Amino acid sequence: IGLTGQPNSVFGNVYNGALRIIGPYHLRSDLAAIKSRGGRVVVNLAGGATRYTDRDGDFNLSKWKNEVARFRNINFSSYIKDGTIIGHYLIDEPHHAARWGGKPVSGATVEEMARYSKQLYPGMAAIVRTYPPYLERWGPYRHLDAAWAAYVHRFGNVHDFTEEQVRSAKKQGLALVVGLNILRGGPNKREMTGSQDREWGH
């Protein structure tokens, strides 16, 4: 359990996992620090969307691959093997057309991203931050390992939401990461309160 962008110093007995964007220069030192604190991390190697979109905002697979390939001469395979790295966060919300120039990123493209990631970094799980039902039309998947479902209040009952995500993930043979959009996932897209975090997280 952990947070997006969680600093190395926060890893410990309570927050022992995180999602992080880590650049090539800091990768090995950050992974060593996280491991020393008993942590595990999902790494985003491509960085933010502006690095791999065209002028009109469309997703550009070639640019994405170039960003991911920046790490190919860095040996971090030991952190994959020992579980310090949970997996590779391929892309955030491919289903959200407004993020990609009005054109959502297909599951077929996500699968190619997963294939390319594993070609460069064998053994590292491929994770996409989208809801399993979105991926169903393009399956089955050979290279993609997991989906990531983030709950927000407008989705309705949290138990029903979670069960739907689990059913779809199982149907596709995918693992599932779950979480809360704490900053904008409350009623009227407001920040979740502490009591909402506890109730919905539980």
Side-chain angles (χ1 to χ4, degrees):
I1 184 170
L3 305 169
T4 297
Q6 180 173 293
N8 295 343
S9 60
V10 176
F11 283 87
N13 292 331
V14 178
Y15 297 113
N16 58 358
L19 165 64
R20 289 276 297 277
I21 295 175
I22 307 176
Y25 183 78
H26 297 285
L27 182 65
R28 285 183 56 86
S29 60
D30 276 8
L31 290 174
I34 291 167
K35 180 179 178 179
S36 72
R37 300 181 69 90
R40 302 179 69 200
V41 64
V42 176
V43 292
N44 176 346
L45 301 182
T50 56
R51 289 179 170 269
Y52 42 88
T53 50
D54 296 328
R55 289 183 179 179
D56 56 5
D58 290 351
F59 174 76
N60 186 308
L61 180 60
S62 295
K63 286 186 176 182
W64 182 89
K65 287 182 175 180
N66 288 339
E67 294 299 321
V68 172
R70 293 177 299 155
F71 300 80
R72 64 184 179 277
N73 295 322
I74 302 172
N75 185 1
F76 60 98
S77 60
S78 64
Y79 295 103
I80 298 172
K81 293 175 182 176
D82 68 17
T84 301
I85 294 178
I86 299 169
H88 181 195
Y89 189 92
L90 302 175
I91 188 173
D92 188 57
E93 296 188 318
H95 60 274
H96 198 329
R99 296 196 63 175
W100 311 108
K103 303 172 186 176
V105 180
S106 72
T109 299
V110 171
E111 172 71 354
E112 170 57 19
M113 296 163 76
R115 184 204 65 78
Y116 183 76
S117 174
K118 290 183 173 180
Q119 174 185 316
L120 295 184
Y121 314 112
M124 184 162 62
I127 304 169
V128 59
R129 219 299 270 157
T130 192
Y131 306 99
Y134 174 73
L135 297 168
E136 288 187 17
R137 76 185 81 170
W138 294 283
Y141 295 91
R142 284 187 54 207
H143 303 287
L144 182 65
D145 296 294
W148 184 313
Y151 174 76
V152 297
H153 177 262
R154 69 178 183 274
F155 290 159
N157 183 278
V158 67
H159 300 287
D160 294 339
F161 168 81
T162 305
E163 288 178 4
E164 178 188 8
Q165 306 309 308
V166 170
R167 277 196 303 270
S168 179
K170 283 185 175 181
K171 178 180 176 181
Q172 299 177 78
L174 296 174
L176 182 65
V177 181
V178 294
L180 302 174
N181 186 333
I182 294 173
L183 296 182
R184 294 183 297 276
N188 300 314
K189 297 185 179 181
R190 295 179 179 173
E191 186 174 342
M192 291 182 182
T193 65
S195 61
Q196 290 166 346
D197 292 345
R198 286 189 294 272
E199 179 185 352
W200 298 337
H202 177 76

